[in-house]
Amino acid sequence: KRFIDNGIENLDLIYRNLNRAAELVSSFKKVAVNQDGELNSLVNMHDLISNVMLSMRTDLLEKAPNVVIHCSSQLMFETKVGPLQQVLQQLLSNSVIHGFRDNQNNEIEITVERNESSLIINYYDNGIGVDKSIKKRIFDPFVTTKRGEGGSGLGMHLVYNLVTQALGGSVYFDDQSSKGTRFIITLPLTEANKI
């Protein structure tokens, strides 16, 4: 009986670790994947953000943030939709997992503006902010405050890779922010966007 009990316990442990390994491999594939295959398409930015919010409704429910979107409902932008959706999903996910302690008074603000050369996405949450020890390394792989709690530390590294490589833009982390977390993503306008 003891042998069978130990066997069941060991199988459970193996199963959980295999799942964890599969999740890590999946994360590696996302980070390493070459996103050049996707073609640019014209997208309504307000609709894109709203659709991402809708797809993440269940994830957001736990911390119940009030999400405010400042973006013209007429703002059209030509981009690779898949990578941009992944970036927004990862930022929202980070706010929920790392930024908010409970479900009280949580806010996320997404501001999208366009100038003559680029589209600027300003993402802000009023959470606990980023620990001093990792501020300078936030885009490095395997940097996480949730070590041992399921965090792989690949989320912001993925955001950086997607923005700089797949979307040809830049992402800036405001490490001077005294409260909450702010990211500023700048995406260049294509010729079609300049019309």
Side-chain angles (χ1 to χ4, degrees):
K1 186 184 183 306
R2 194 170 70 231
F3 174 76
I4 290 170
D5 287 347
N6 284 343
I8 290 169
E9 195 176 306
N10 288 336
L11 280 173
D12 184 49
L13 192 62
I14 290 167
Y15 181 72
R16 276 186 283 144
N17 282 317
L18 280 173
N19 276 338
R20 180 86 180 106
E23 285 171 19
L24 272 174
V25 168
S26 176
S27 293
F28 283 132
K29 282 168 76 175
K30 280 184 192 169
V31 170
V33 72
N34 185 345
Q35 304 270 351
D36 289 343
E38 186 174 341
L39 296 173
N40 283 358
S41 57
L42 198 60
V43 64
N44 180 304
M45 285 303 297
H46 192 277
D47 290 352
L48 176 86
I49 297 167
S50 299
N51 289 338
V52 168
M53 299 292 304
L54 196 61
S55 73
M56 294 195 65
R57 188 174 56 212
T58 310
D59 301 271
L60 295 170
L61 208 57
E62 183 188 346
K63 300 291 174 73
N66 176 38
V67 182
V68 180
I69 301 168
H70 301 287
C71 177
S72 164
S73 59
Q74 309 302 312
L75 179 53
M76 301 298 287
F77 184 69
E78 188 172 297
T79 188
K80 292 177 182 168
V81 177
L84 186 54
Q85 283 177 326
Q86 274 185 277
V87 165
L88 292 169
Q89 287 168 342
Q90 189 59 55
L91 290 173
L92 288 163
S93 181
N94 262 28
S95 292
V96 169
I97 295 167
H98 300 284
F100 303 135
R101 283 203 177 102
D102 52 36
N103 61 1
Q104 302 298 311
N105 305 316
N106 297 326
E107 288 181 20
I108 293 172
E109 192 174 351
I110 303 171
T111 305
V112 183
E113 296 170 331
R114 183 185 148 155
N115 61 28
E116 57 282 343
S117 63
S118 53
L119 183 86
I120 297 129
I121 302 169
N122 197 317
Y123 181 93
Y124 170 78
D125 75 44
N126 70 340
I128 59 172
V130 177
D131 192 271
K132 261 192 324 211
S133 64
I134 66 169
K135 277 189 174 185
K136 300 291 183 204
R137 303 179 299 126
I138 195 160
F139 295 119
D140 291 354
F142 310 113
V143 171
T144 181
T145 56
K146 298 285 184 181
R147 182 80 60 218
E149 298 174 45
S152 66
L154 291 171
M156 292 315 299
H157 183 59
L158 175 62
V159 165
Y160 181 82
N161 281 358
L162 288 171
V163 171
T164 59
Q165 293 171 27
L167 299 171
S170 64
V171 56
Y172 167 74
F173 166 60
D174 182 3
D175 60 0
Q176 302 305 311
S177 186
S178 57
K179 187 172 188 245
T181 306
R182 183 182 306 277
F183 291 96
I184 300 161
I185 296 167
T186 306
L187 303 176
L189 295 185
T190 63
E191 286 307 310
N193 282 321
K194 291 178 181 176
I195 297 168

